[in-house]
Amino acid sequence: MAYVPGVALLAALAVGCSAGSGGGASDADSKPGNPAVTTAPPGKYRTLPAPCRAVPDSTLKDLLPGIAQLSRQQQEKALRGAATITYDTDRKVGCSWKSTAPDSSRNLTIDFERVVSYDPAVSDEDRARALYVKKENAAELPGTGGGSPEKGKGATASAEGEEKEEGTSKPGDDQGSADPSTSSSASSSAAPSPSAASSSASASGAPGPSGSSDEDLRPRVLDGLGDAAFLDDLLTRAGSTAQHRTVSVVFRTSNVLVTVRYGEQPALVTKVPDSKELQEKARSLARKLAEVISG
């Protein structure tokens, strides 16, 4: 008969220990001084606009004048554009258009990237800022020296010592020297002013890198576009083919990165695409896309 009470006593003790252990764990969790787990705030934007519908038809016809010379059916097809193939349309989308006119061919590409940080300690916007800085540093804008608001953090010297791709130049580059080191030295110690470069180019019959003696159109950081922005201007030529100029405008607004690439290739080999016109139109489109994103 003494066996049963003993079993009951052991069961009661076990229940008491279990309850005590639970209370102790709860007390430990609520003790002051324990670090609270904080999660960085999510990005401002959760969706992206439809890229092939982000540019009005009227703007496309202005950017791609060759479209106006097509038949109505061909115009509709050209204005629809071609969506960029991506594997996650919730994170990255894009669209491209092109047209050909008797005097030149033009192409336009826009890309939207919604940045998401998978690190709970890093916000989506901070991650987007880091990616933007990487793009700006890769552009190697002349004269910035890491002085832009978002540039300099995490910058690397991986591009130092690399030679420029043959046949590629940017407005303001010294193309008169075959030695990259000599060109670099000359541009750093005695870089010509935009007006001087324009005057020199005009004397040789080619348009100046700035397009105007009163305006500097070299690749540069842009103000008043998103949270941070820069413009790149690349002139390429391979062999005896016509020169092709591509103007790129990249900007960040919160956790979204936008890239506009607008290019022209004249039909005549001797003609150089107008840097000023391409830059003005690319910047104007970038401003419109910033408005589309903000809604």
Side-chain angles (χ1 to χ4, degrees):
M1 297 296 293
Y3 177 76
V4 175
V7 173
L9 178 61
L10 291 175
L13 290 173
V15 172
C17 291
S18 176
S21 298
S26 176
D27 292 341
D29 290 340
S30 61
K31 286 180 179 179
N34 283 351
V37 178
T38 59
T39 302
K44 178 180 180 180
Y45 299 105
R46 305 296 184 88
T47 60
L48 291 172
C52 292
R53 296 198 297 269
V55 185
D57 288 354
S58 58
T59 301
L60 288 173
K61 290 179 181 180
D62 178 56
L63 293 171
L64 308 168
I67 290 182
Q69 303 174 15
L70 302 175
S71 66
R72 181 175 179 180
Q73 184 177 4
Q74 291 174 325
Q75 282 189 34
E76 292 177 352
K77 182 179 179 180
L79 292 173
R80 283 199 298 268
T84 303
I85 299 176
T86 62
Y87 297 98
D88 188 354
T89 55
D90 188 51
R91 293 278 307 279
K92 191 171 184 179
V93 294
C95 194
S96 60
W97 299 262
K98 61 181 179 180
S99 70
T100 301
D103 58 339
S104 68
S105 61
R106 300 201 183 194
N107 56 84
L108 170 68
T109 301
I110 61 174
D111 290 307
F112 299 101
E113 181 177 0
R114 186 175 66 89
V115 180
V116 177
S117 172
Y118 293 102
D119 185 346
V122 180
S123 69
D124 295 346
E125 183 168 349
D126 285 341
R127 175 61 178 159
R129 182 181 293 107
L131 291 178
Y132 168 85
V133 169
K134 184 177 181 180
K135 290 177 179 290
E136 185 182 312
N137 289 342
E140 297 182 334
L141 307 181
T144 56
S148 69
E150 297 208 357
K151 189 172 181 179
K153 298 179 182 178
T156 64
S158 60
E160 292 183 2
E162 295 182 359
E163 295 184 357
K164 294 182 180 178
E165 182 181 354
E166 184 178 358
T168 302
S169 64
K170 296 182 180 181
D173 284 348
D174 183 0
Q175 302 179 53
S177 173
D179 185 355
S181 61
T182 304
S183 174
S184 174
S185 174
S187 60
S188 61
S189 61
S193 65
S195 58
S198 177
S199 300
S200 176
S202 299
S204 62
S210 65
S212 168
S213 59
D214 300 324
E215 187 175 4
D216 183 2
L217 298 179
R218 292 175 298 177
R220 62 201 180 277
V221 172
L222 300 176
D223 296 325
L225 178 59
D227 296 313
F230 72 87
L231 179 149
D232 200 6
D233 191 326
L234 192 65
L235 184 65
T236 60
R237 182 170 184 172
S240 60
T241 62
Q243 300 187 74
H244 187 280
R245 183 182 296 279
T246 300
V247 172
S248 300
V249 176
V250 180
F251 70 90
R252 179 185 70 83
T253 174
S254 188
N255 63 313
V256 172
L257 299 177
V258 181
T259 300
V260 175
R261 287 185 293 273
Y262 182 44
E264 178 187 10
Q265 180 171 314
L268 295 177
V269 178
T270 56
K271 185 176 180 181
V272 180
D274 185 5
S275 181
K276 182 177 181 179
E277 179 198 0
L278 296 180
Q279 289 193 24
E280 287 179 348
K281 291 187 175 182
R283 293 183 63 181
S284 177
L285 176 57
R287 288 191 292 269
K288 292 179 181 179
L289 295 180
E291 294 175 358
V292 170
I293 293 175
S294 62

